[in-house]
Amino acid sequence: MRAFIFLAALLCGLQAFAANHCDLSEPTRYVDVGEVRLAYQSIGSERDPALLLVMGLGGQLIHWPDEVVERLCQQGFRVVRFDNRDVGLSTWRRPAPNINLPYEVLRYRLGLSLGAPYHLRDMAGDAMGLMDQLGVERFHVLGASMGGMIAQHLADLAPQRVLSLTLVMTSSGAQGLPAPSDALVALLARREAGSREAALQQQADLLAALGSPTVHDDRALLLHQAEQAYDRAFNPEGVQRQLLAILAESSRVELLNRLNVPTLVVHGTADPLLPVMHGVHVAAHIKGSELKLIPGLAHRFQDAFKEPLLAAVLPHLAAHRGDLGLARL
Protein backbone atom coordinates (compact mmCIF):
# COMPACT_ATOMS: atom_id res chain seq x y z
CA MET A 1 0.00 0.00 0.00
CA ARG A 2 2.83 2.37 0.89
CA ALA A 3 4.48 1.62 -2.44
CA PHE A 4 1.25 2.46 -4.27
CA ILE A 5 0.89 5.76 -2.40
CA PHE A 6 4.53 6.63 -3.12
CA LEU A 7 4.10 5.87 -6.83
CA ALA A 8 0.91 7.94 -7.03
CA ALA A 9 2.62 10.85 -5.29
CA LEU A 10 5.60 10.54 -7.60
CA LEU A 11 3.41 10.60 -10.70
CA CYS A 12 1.46 13.61 -9.44
CA GLY A 13 4.71 15.35 -8.58
CA LEU A 14 6.13 14.66 -12.03
CA GLN A 15 3.02 16.09 -13.69
CA ALA A 16 3.15 19.20 -11.53
CA PHE A 17 6.85 19.57 -12.31
CA ALA A 18 6.15 19.31 -16.05
CA ALA A 19 3.32 21.81 -15.85
CA ASN A 20 5.57 24.33 -14.10
CA HIS A 21 8.05 24.10 -16.95
CA CYS A 22 5.51 24.40 -19.77
CA ASP A 23 5.73 28.15 -20.15
CA LEU A 24 4.07 29.24 -23.38
CA SER A 25 5.42 32.74 -22.92
CA GLU A 26 8.94 31.55 -23.73
CA PRO A 27 10.46 34.13 -26.11
CA THR A 28 10.92 33.56 -29.81
CA ARG A 29 14.60 32.87 -30.48
CA TYR A 30 16.64 32.61 -33.67
CA VAL A 31 19.24 30.29 -35.14
CA ASP A 32 21.13 30.50 -38.42
CA VAL A 33 21.05 27.41 -40.61
CA GLY A 34 23.15 28.13 -43.65
CA GLU A 35 21.66 31.21 -45.30
CA VAL A 36 18.34 30.80 -43.50
CA ARG A 37 17.54 32.32 -40.12
CA LEU A 38 14.81 30.36 -38.35
CA ALA A 39 12.54 31.73 -35.64
CA TYR A 40 11.62 29.11 -33.03
CA GLN A 41 10.19 28.61 -29.58
CA SER A 42 11.27 25.87 -27.16
CA ILE A 43 8.82 24.94 -24.41
CA GLY A 44 9.62 22.54 -21.60
CA SER A 45 12.68 21.08 -19.94
CA GLU A 46 15.79 20.45 -22.02
CA ARG A 47 16.15 17.18 -20.09
CA ASP A 48 12.95 15.81 -21.65
CA PRO A 49 12.71 14.11 -25.06
CA ALA A 50 12.33 16.72 -27.79
CA LEU A 51 9.27 16.90 -30.04
CA LEU A 52 9.69 18.96 -33.20
CA LEU A 53 6.48 20.40 -34.66
CA VAL A 54 6.59 21.16 -38.40
CA MET A 55 3.82 23.42 -39.70
CA GLY A 56 2.06 23.36 -43.06
CA LEU A 57 1.74 25.69 -46.02
CA GLY A 58 1.88 29.34 -44.98
CA GLY A 59 1.51 28.42 -41.32
CA GLN A 60 3.48 30.10 -38.56
CA LEU A 61 4.53 28.62 -35.23
CA ILE A 62 1.57 30.39 -33.62
CA HIS A 63 -0.76 28.18 -35.67
CA TRP A 64 0.03 25.27 -33.37
CA PRO A 65 -2.76 25.72 -30.78
CA ASP A 66 -1.29 26.76 -27.45
CA GLU A 67 -3.44 24.32 -25.51
CA VAL A 68 -2.20 21.44 -27.66
CA VAL A 69 1.43 22.52 -27.24
CA GLU A 70 0.91 22.79 -23.49
CA ARG A 71 -0.63 19.33 -23.27
CA LEU A 72 2.24 17.82 -25.24
CA CYS A 73 4.71 19.50 -22.92
CA GLN A 74 2.83 18.32 -19.83
CA GLN A 75 3.30 14.73 -21.01
CA GLY A 76 7.02 15.24 -20.51
CA PHE A 77 8.19 16.50 -23.90
CA ARG A 78 10.30 19.49 -24.80
CA VAL A 79 8.19 20.98 -27.59
CA VAL A 80 10.00 22.91 -30.33
CA ARG A 81 7.89 24.84 -32.83
CA PHE A 82 9.28 27.10 -35.54
CA ASP A 83 8.54 29.18 -38.62
CA ASN A 84 9.51 27.50 -41.87
CA ARG A 85 11.53 29.59 -44.29
CA ASP A 86 9.50 32.23 -46.13
CA VAL A 87 6.84 32.63 -43.43
CA GLY A 88 6.55 34.23 -40.02
CA LEU A 89 9.71 35.66 -38.54
CA SER A 90 12.10 33.32 -40.38
CA THR A 91 14.06 34.37 -43.47
CA TRP A 92 12.05 35.50 -46.50
CA ARG A 93 13.65 34.85 -49.86
CA ARG A 94 14.69 38.14 -51.48
CA PRO A 95 14.50 39.39 -54.12
CA ALA A 96 11.24 37.57 -54.70
CA PRO A 97 11.26 35.71 -58.03
CA ASN A 98 8.41 36.45 -60.42
CA ILE A 99 5.96 33.54 -60.10
CA ASN A 100 2.99 32.90 -62.38
CA LEU A 101 1.20 30.52 -60.02
CA PRO A 102 -1.79 29.60 -62.26
CA TYR A 103 0.68 28.72 -65.02
CA GLU A 104 2.75 26.56 -62.67
CA VAL A 105 -0.37 24.79 -61.37
CA LEU A 106 -1.38 24.03 -64.97
CA ARG A 107 2.08 22.56 -65.64
CA TYR A 108 1.71 20.41 -62.51
CA ARG A 109 -1.65 19.05 -63.65
CA LEU A 110 -0.16 18.24 -67.05
CA GLY A 111 2.67 16.33 -65.40
CA LEU A 112 5.30 18.83 -66.57
CA SER A 113 8.32 19.86 -64.52
CA LEU A 114 8.16 22.99 -62.39
CA GLY A 115 10.88 25.41 -61.42
CA ALA A 116 10.90 26.04 -57.67
CA PRO A 117 13.37 28.29 -55.83
CA TYR A 118 13.78 25.57 -53.19
CA HIS A 119 12.36 22.14 -52.39
CA LEU A 120 10.76 20.29 -49.48
CA ARG A 121 14.02 18.47 -48.82
CA ASP A 122 15.73 21.84 -48.37
CA MET A 123 13.09 22.72 -45.80
CA ALA A 124 13.73 19.39 -44.06
CA GLY A 125 17.40 20.38 -43.95
CA ASP A 126 16.36 23.62 -42.25
CA ALA A 127 14.52 21.67 -39.56
CA MET A 128 17.45 19.30 -39.07
CA GLY A 129 19.79 22.27 -38.80
CA LEU A 130 17.58 23.77 -36.10
CA MET A 131 17.86 20.62 -33.99
CA ASP A 132 21.62 20.56 -34.60
CA GLN A 133 21.88 24.13 -33.32
CA LEU A 134 19.84 23.17 -30.24
CA GLY A 135 22.18 20.25 -29.57
CA VAL A 136 19.39 17.68 -29.87
CA GLU A 137 20.65 14.40 -31.28
CA ARG A 138 17.42 12.36 -31.29
CA PHE A 139 13.88 13.67 -31.35
CA HIS A 140 10.26 13.03 -32.25
CA VAL A 141 8.71 14.71 -35.28
CA LEU A 142 5.08 15.73 -35.75
CA GLY A 143 4.23 17.34 -39.08
CA ALA A 144 0.93 18.67 -40.36
CA SER A 145 -0.03 18.97 -44.05
CA MET A 146 3.06 20.34 -45.86
CA GLY A 147 4.83 19.90 -42.53
CA GLY A 148 4.04 16.18 -42.79
CA MET A 149 5.70 16.12 -46.21
CA ILE A 150 8.77 17.83 -44.75
CA ALA A 151 8.69 15.35 -41.86
CA GLN A 152 8.79 12.46 -44.35
CA HIS A 153 12.02 13.88 -45.75
CA LEU A 154 13.41 14.40 -42.24
CA ALA A 155 12.88 10.76 -41.38
CA ASP A 156 14.52 9.76 -44.66
CA LEU A 157 17.49 12.10 -44.23
CA ALA A 158 18.38 10.85 -40.75
CA PRO A 159 16.26 7.87 -39.63
CA GLN A 160 18.68 7.18 -36.78
CA ARG A 161 17.79 10.54 -35.24
CA VAL A 162 13.99 10.32 -35.47
CA LEU A 163 12.51 8.50 -32.47
CA SER A 164 8.99 8.59 -33.85
CA LEU A 165 7.10 10.14 -36.73
CA THR A 166 3.56 11.51 -36.59
CA LEU A 167 2.01 12.59 -39.89
CA VAL A 168 -1.23 14.57 -39.67
CA MET A 169 -3.48 15.47 -42.64
CA THR A 170 -0.68 14.96 -45.17
CA SER A 171 0.05 13.14 -48.43
CA SER A 172 2.51 10.99 -50.36
CA GLY A 173 2.23 13.29 -53.38
CA ALA A 174 1.43 10.34 -55.62
CA GLN A 175 -0.44 10.87 -58.87
CA GLY A 176 -4.02 9.65 -58.98
CA LEU A 177 -5.03 10.59 -55.45
CA PRO A 178 -8.22 12.66 -55.06
CA ALA A 179 -7.65 16.35 -55.75
CA PRO A 180 -9.23 19.30 -53.96
CA SER A 181 -11.85 21.32 -55.76
CA ASP A 182 -10.78 24.11 -58.10
CA ALA A 183 -12.59 26.58 -55.83
CA LEU A 184 -10.49 25.55 -52.83
CA VAL A 185 -7.25 25.70 -54.84
CA ALA A 186 -8.22 29.19 -55.99
CA LEU A 187 -8.76 30.27 -52.38
CA LEU A 188 -5.41 28.79 -51.39
CA ALA A 189 -3.57 30.55 -54.21
CA ARG A 190 -5.39 33.88 -53.80
CA ARG A 191 -2.83 36.09 -52.12
CA GLU A 192 -3.28 39.50 -53.74
CA ALA A 193 -4.94 41.88 -51.32
CA GLY A 194 -5.06 45.64 -51.70
CA SER A 195 -5.47 46.29 -48.01
CA ARG A 196 -5.14 44.72 -44.59
CA GLU A 197 -8.91 44.32 -44.36
CA ALA A 198 -9.08 42.54 -47.72
CA ALA A 199 -6.27 40.19 -46.66
CA LEU A 200 -8.07 39.34 -43.42
CA GLN A 201 -11.32 38.61 -45.25
CA GLN A 202 -9.48 36.37 -47.73
CA GLN A 203 -7.79 34.42 -44.96
CA ALA A 204 -11.07 34.00 -43.08
CA ASP A 205 -12.66 32.66 -46.28
CA LEU A 206 -9.84 30.12 -46.62
CA LEU A 207 -10.06 29.04 -42.98
CA ALA A 208 -13.80 28.51 -43.34
CA ALA A 209 -13.30 26.43 -46.50
CA LEU A 210 -10.72 24.22 -44.74
CA GLY A 211 -13.00 23.60 -41.77
CA SER A 212 -15.25 20.66 -41.01
CA PRO A 213 -18.82 20.68 -42.33
CA THR A 214 -19.89 19.39 -38.91
CA VAL A 215 -18.62 22.52 -37.12
CA HIS A 216 -20.07 26.01 -37.35
CA ASP A 217 -17.31 28.59 -37.64
CA ASP A 218 -17.77 31.93 -35.95
CA ARG A 219 -16.75 34.57 -38.52
CA ALA A 220 -15.47 36.92 -35.82
CA LEU A 221 -13.17 34.18 -34.49
CA LEU A 222 -11.86 33.42 -37.97
CA LEU A 223 -11.11 37.10 -38.54
CA HIS A 224 -9.36 37.30 -35.17
CA GLN A 225 -7.15 34.32 -36.08
CA ALA A 226 -6.39 35.90 -39.45
CA GLU A 227 -5.56 39.18 -37.73
CA GLN A 228 -3.08 37.54 -35.34
CA ALA A 229 -1.22 35.90 -38.22
CA TYR A 230 -1.27 39.02 -40.42
CA ASP A 231 0.05 41.31 -37.70
CA ARG A 232 2.87 38.93 -36.82
CA ALA A 233 4.01 38.50 -40.43
CA PHE A 234 2.39 38.73 -43.86
CA ASN A 235 4.32 37.33 -46.82
CA PRO A 236 2.00 36.07 -49.57
CA GLU A 237 4.89 35.63 -52.02
CA GLY A 238 6.56 33.29 -49.56
CA VAL A 239 3.44 31.13 -49.40
CA GLN A 240 3.45 30.89 -53.19
CA ARG A 241 7.07 29.72 -53.12
CA GLN A 242 6.22 27.10 -50.50
CA LEU A 243 3.36 25.92 -52.72
CA LEU A 244 5.77 25.64 -55.64
CA ALA A 245 8.04 23.47 -53.49
CA ILE A 246 5.11 21.11 -52.96
CA LEU A 247 4.05 21.04 -56.61
CA ALA A 248 7.61 20.63 -57.91
CA GLU A 249 8.09 17.37 -56.03
CA SER A 250 7.34 14.01 -57.55
CA SER A 251 5.71 11.18 -55.66
CA ARG A 252 7.33 10.26 -52.33
CA VAL A 253 6.18 6.63 -52.48
CA GLU A 254 9.72 5.26 -52.89
CA LEU A 255 10.84 7.37 -49.93
CA LEU A 256 7.94 6.09 -47.81
CA ASN A 257 8.66 2.49 -48.80
CA ARG A 258 12.15 2.70 -47.33
CA LEU A 259 11.21 4.40 -44.05
CA ASN A 260 11.78 2.33 -40.94
CA VAL A 261 10.68 4.71 -38.20
CA PRO A 262 7.78 4.16 -35.77
CA THR A 263 5.03 6.07 -37.57
CA LEU A 264 1.50 7.18 -36.82
CA VAL A 265 -0.65 8.58 -39.64
CA VAL A 266 -3.65 10.67 -38.58
CA HIS A 267 -6.21 11.90 -41.09
CA GLY A 268 -9.71 13.31 -41.08
CA THR A 269 -12.61 11.80 -42.94
CA ALA A 270 -13.81 15.27 -44.01
CA ASP A 271 -10.54 16.76 -45.27
CA PRO A 272 -11.40 18.95 -48.29
CA LEU A 273 -7.81 19.72 -49.30
CA LEU A 274 -6.21 16.29 -48.97
CA PRO A 275 -9.12 13.84 -48.94
CA VAL A 276 -8.88 10.86 -46.64
CA MET A 277 -7.33 8.53 -49.22
CA HIS A 278 -4.15 10.63 -49.01
CA GLY A 279 -3.66 9.52 -45.41
CA VAL A 280 -4.61 5.93 -46.20
CA HIS A 281 -2.06 5.91 -49.03
CA VAL A 282 0.73 7.27 -46.81
CA ALA A 283 0.10 4.63 -44.15
CA ALA A 284 -0.04 1.84 -46.73
CA HIS A 285 3.51 2.63 -47.87
CA ILE A 286 5.26 2.98 -44.47
CA LYS A 287 6.24 -0.35 -43.02
CA GLY A 288 4.61 -1.03 -39.66
CA SER A 289 2.80 2.30 -39.52
CA GLU A 290 -0.47 2.83 -37.66
CA LEU A 291 -3.40 4.69 -39.23
CA LYS A 292 -6.00 6.57 -37.22
CA LEU A 293 -8.94 8.22 -38.97
CA ILE A 294 -10.86 10.93 -37.12
CA PRO A 295 -14.50 11.28 -38.19
CA GLY A 296 -15.38 14.82 -39.25
CA LEU A 297 -11.85 16.22 -39.01
CA ALA A 298 -11.05 18.49 -41.95
CA HIS A 299 -7.84 20.44 -42.62
CA ARG A 300 -7.62 22.68 -39.57
CA PHE A 301 -6.99 22.37 -35.85
CA GLN A 302 -10.53 23.25 -34.83
CA ASP A 303 -11.47 23.22 -31.15
CA ALA A 304 -13.91 20.34 -31.56
CA PHE A 305 -11.13 18.03 -32.74
CA LYS A 306 -8.28 18.91 -30.40
CA GLU A 307 -9.14 16.18 -27.89
CA PRO A 308 -9.56 13.47 -30.57
CA LEU A 309 -6.22 14.51 -32.08
CA LEU A 310 -4.47 14.37 -28.71
CA ALA A 311 -6.10 11.01 -27.96
CA ALA A 312 -4.62 9.68 -31.20
CA VAL A 313 -1.16 11.21 -30.85
CA LEU A 314 -0.25 10.94 -27.17
CA PRO A 315 -0.17 7.12 -26.87
CA HIS A 316 2.09 6.90 -29.92
CA LEU A 317 4.52 9.44 -28.48
CA ALA A 318 4.46 7.76 -25.07
CA ALA A 319 5.22 4.36 -26.59
CA HIS A 320 8.38 5.68 -28.26
CA ARG A 321 9.65 8.25 -25.76
CA GLY A 322 13.26 7.21 -26.12
CA ASP A 323 14.21 7.78 -22.48
CA LEU A 324 13.88 5.89 -19.22
CA GLY A 325 11.43 8.36 -17.72
CA LEU A 326 7.82 7.67 -16.92
CA ALA A 327 5.30 8.56 -19.63
CA ARG A 328 2.92 11.06 -18.10
CA LEU A 329 -0.38 10.00 -19.62
Side-chain angles (χ1 to χ4, degrees):
M1 184 66 181
R2 288 181 179 178
F4 174 78
I5 294 173
F6 172 78
L7 180 59
L10 177 62
L11 285 170
C12 291
L14 284 172
Q15 289 175 343
F17 178 80
N20 291 337
H21 284 76
C22 297
D23 184 3
L24 294 173
S25 66
E26 282 288 332
T28 300
R29 304 183 189 279
Y30 300 86
V31 297
D32 291 323
V33 179
E35 297 181 353
V36 176
R37 172 161 288 192
L38 296 177
Y40 75 94
Q41 187 185 37
S42 177
I43 300 166
S45 171
E46 294 184 5
R47 296 186 297 273
D48 285 335
L51 170 61
L52 178 66
L53 304 182
V54 190
M55 181 43 72
L57 176 68
Q60 303 179 43
L61 65 83
I62 60 171
H63 288 115
W64 292 103
D66 282 349
E67 55 269 39
V68 171
V69 172
E70 186 172 31
R71 283 281 295 281
L72 292 169
C73 177
Q74 287 172 350
Q75 305 311 309
F77 292 95
R78 176 191 182 185
V79 183
V80 179
R81 54 181 175 175
F82 71 105
D83 293 331
N84 284 306
R85 64 166 72 183
D86 250 337
V87 298
L89 305 182
S90 290
T91 296
W92 298 359
R93 182 182 174 91
R94 296 184 184 279
N98 186 24
I99 297 172
N100 185 334
L101 193 57
Y103 172 73
E104 297 293 351
V105 170
L106 176 61
R107 290 183 61 86
Y108 170 77
R109 290 182 172 177
L110 293 174
L112 302 175
S113 62
L114 280 71
Y118 51 80
H119 298 88
L120 295 179
R121 205 162 181 91
D122 297 319
M123 300 177 78
D126 295 342
M128 190 68 71
L130 168 61
M131 301 311 278
D132 289 342
Q133 292 288 342
L134 295 181
V136 179
E137 178 59 28
R138 304 189 72 199
F139 50 94
H140 303 266
V141 182
L142 192 163
S145 194
M146 180 190 74
M149 303 172 195
I150 295 169
Q152 293 166 36
H153 280 287
L154 259 174
D156 185 54
L157 281 169
Q160 73 282 2
R161 297 184 62 179
V162 177
L163 291 166
S164 77
L165 186 61
T166 304
L167 305 173
V168 181
M169 58 184 75
T170 194
S171 178
S172 65
Q175 294 293 321
L177 289 170
S181 68
D182 289 341
L184 183 53
V185 171
L187 281 175
L188 195 66
R190 186 179 62 171
R191 297 293 167 176
E192 297 78 15
S195 66
R196 179 178 183 275
E197 179 59 29
L200 297 184
Q201 294 292 341
Q202 285 184 11
Q203 183 64 13
D205 289 344
L206 177 60
L207 291 174
L210 293 174
S212 174
T214 65
V215 176
H216 171 71
D217 279 314
D218 180 77
R219 184 71 178 185
L221 177 60
L222 295 181
L223 286 170
H224 175 67
Q225 292 173 349
E227 184 178 43
Q228 287 181 309
Y230 183 98
D231 290 344
R232 185 173 183 265
F234 181 63
N235 184 26
E237 294 82 8
V239 178
Q240 290 186 350
R241 289 191 289 272
Q242 287 188 350
L243 183 55
L244 274 183
I246 296 172
L247 297 178
E249 183 159 284
S250 60
S251 168
R252 287 178 298 281
V253 166
E254 289 187 12
L255 182 157
L256 297 177
N257 285 339
R258 62 177 179 259
L259 288 186
N260 189 23
V261 174
T263 302
L264 170 68
V265 179
V266 182
H267 217 97
T269 62
D271 194 320
L273 183 63
L274 298 173
V276 65
M277 282 307 298
H278 286 258
V280 172
H281 193 257
V282 168
H285 285 278
I286 301 179
K287 181 172 57 179
S289 66
E290 181 182 6
L291 173 66
K292 291 199 174 182
L293 302 181
I294 298 181
L297 175 67
H299 206 82
R300 276 176 46 216
F301 293 121
Q302 293 173 284
D303 286 343
F305 298 101
K306 287 174 185 174
E307 287 302 323
L309 279 165
L310 286 166
V313 169
L314 291 178
H316 174 69
L317 290 171
H320 304 285
R321 280 180 61 85
D323 67 355
L324 299 178
L326 293 170
R328 292 184 276 278
L329 287 174

